[in-house]
Amino acid sequence: MPEINRFAIVSAAIMLAFALTQLISFPARSLAFSLLGIQLDFTLDFNTVITLLTAALAAVGMDWLILSHPDKDQYNTRWAFVRHWIMPVLTSLVIGIALNAFTGENLWWVVFLLGSLLLMAVFIAEYNVVPSEGIRHPLARIGLTALSFALFLLLVITLYSVNLRLYLRLPLLGLGALMVISRSIYLRIGRWELLWSIVNSLILSEIAVGFHYLPLPPIQIGLYLVGIAYALTSMVTAIKEDRKRWAFWGEPAVMILIMLLLVLIWG
């Protein structure tokens, strides 16, 4: 476990900021500009500001938690801590977007409670994948990978559940895919593969554009995209580990099959 006082302060500060959106607000401001002849309109409100601020707070808070880790000296520079910011930042963004979608509804408090537990789980998992020879590291790595794709699933479902224009939905999906895929590849092979991560996130974004125009339920779209994202991540890992034949195709094929079965169940 992280140092309990720091862990409690960071978690409470972020969730308190989200809770304030139920008490404080300011009139939404419309921002509009033209890009390449396309008129783009954005709305800036208190919820959006809080979501961005909590994402920054999650990164700073994770950095502060790592400073209390006994193995932090294994890092050569403080910039190495950045790898541990990715999932807390994504978690805060997903929670913020989900809370914005349910503003004014009773379900808001359910999302708030589950989001709090999810955020704390991510902090604990990231803390346990700091370089260490302890037995918890492999378990934390598996758990953090699972949490990463669960977060991406929640992000996709939320974005397709609210009425967003494609030029707003696509960058959020692409950024989420890039964060999840790059972090998952690093957890698997121990090094960054930025080019592969960008290519895979672009592939996923192209597929997401097609789903934007299909009359499918958000949960089915989420399952499709998560299955594809996991399969792409597995294939990159297989390439880097020089796997052959069934060792190469087995994991991606099984994951795609599982997601298809889940889609049929939910359909």
Side-chain angles (χ1 to χ4, degrees):
M1 285 289 293
E3 200 277 319
I4 191 63
N5 291 326
R6 298 189 184 200
F7 178 64
I9 290 171
V10 172
S11 302
I14 294 174
M15 299 318 298
L16 177 61
F18 282 126
L20 289 177
T21 60
Q22 293 292 93
L23 304 174
I24 303 173
S25 65
F26 60 74
R29 299 177 181 272
S30 296
L31 305 175
F33 61 91
S34 180
L35 179 65
L36 300 177
I38 303 174
Q39 184 69 19
L40 302 178
D41 298 311
F42 299 91
T43 300
L44 181 65
D45 56 16
F46 185 72
N47 291 346
T48 304
V49 173
I50 287 296
T51 299
L52 296 176
L53 289 178
T54 51
L57 183 59
V60 174
M62 190 68 244
D63 195 275
W64 190 40
L65 290 177
I66 294 174
L67 287 175
S68 67
H69 198 286
D71 294 333
K72 67 179 185 301
D73 293 334
Q74 294 186 30
Y75 289 129
N76 297 324
T77 173
R78 282 287 298 276
W79 285 109
F81 290 10
V82 174
R83 73 189 67 168
H84 299 288
W85 299 358
I86 296 175
M87 295 319 302
V89 168
L90 179 61
T91 305
S92 295
L93 290 175
V94 171
I95 294 172
I97 294 171
L99 290 175
N100 292 348
F102 294 105
T103 299
E105 301 180 17
N106 293 331
L107 194 58
W108 189 95
W109 291 104
V110 177
V111 176
F112 179 81
L113 177 60
L114 295 178
S116 301
L117 297 175
L118 186 60
L119 181 65
M120 289 187 285
V122 169
F123 279 140
I124 293 171
E126 281 290 356
Y127 187 83
N128 279 276
V129 295
V130 172
S132 174
E133 296 179 356
I135 192 172
R136 292 182 181 85
H137 179 80
L139 298 176
R141 186 175 58 212
I142 295 170
L144 187 58
T145 301
L147 283 172
S148 301
F149 286 100
L151 281 169
F152 186 64
L153 176 62
L154 291 175
L155 177 64
V156 175
I157 292 174
T158 302
L159 289 177
Y160 278 92
S161 297
V162 297
N163 186 23
L164 285 179
R165 301 288 297 274
L166 182 60
Y167 65 79
L168 292 175
R169 180 177 291 165
L170 191 58
L172 292 173
L173 284 173
L175 177 62
L178 178 61
M179 295 171 76
V180 168
I181 292 173
S182 61
R183 186 62 173 136
S184 298
I185 292 175
Y186 184 88
L187 288 171
R188 283 167 170 256
I189 64 178
R191 63 179 183 271
W192 295 109
E193 294 291 344
L194 186 58
L195 180 59
W196 279 105
S197 300
I198 293 174
V199 169
N200 286 345
S201 63
L202 289 175
I203 293 172
L204 208 65
S205 298
E206 291 292 335
I207 297 172
V209 172
F211 280 126
H212 179 80
Y213 298 102
L214 294 178
L216 293 175
I219 190 168
Q220 290 190 5
I221 297 175
L223 290 171
Y224 280 127
L225 291 181
V226 167
I228 295 170
Y230 189 93
L232 291 172
T233 303
S234 299
M235 291 173 67
V236 172
T237 305
I239 291 172
K240 293 301 176 180
E241 294 179 349
D242 197 27
R243 299 180 193 171
K244 303 297 183 182
R245 298 180 180 178
W246 178 246
F248 183 96
W249 295 106
E251 187 180 7
V254 169
M255 178 53 64
I256 292 292
L257 180 60
I258 291 174
M259 289 302 171
L260 289 175
L261 290 174
L262 290 175
V263 167
L264 292 176
I265 293 172
W266 282 100

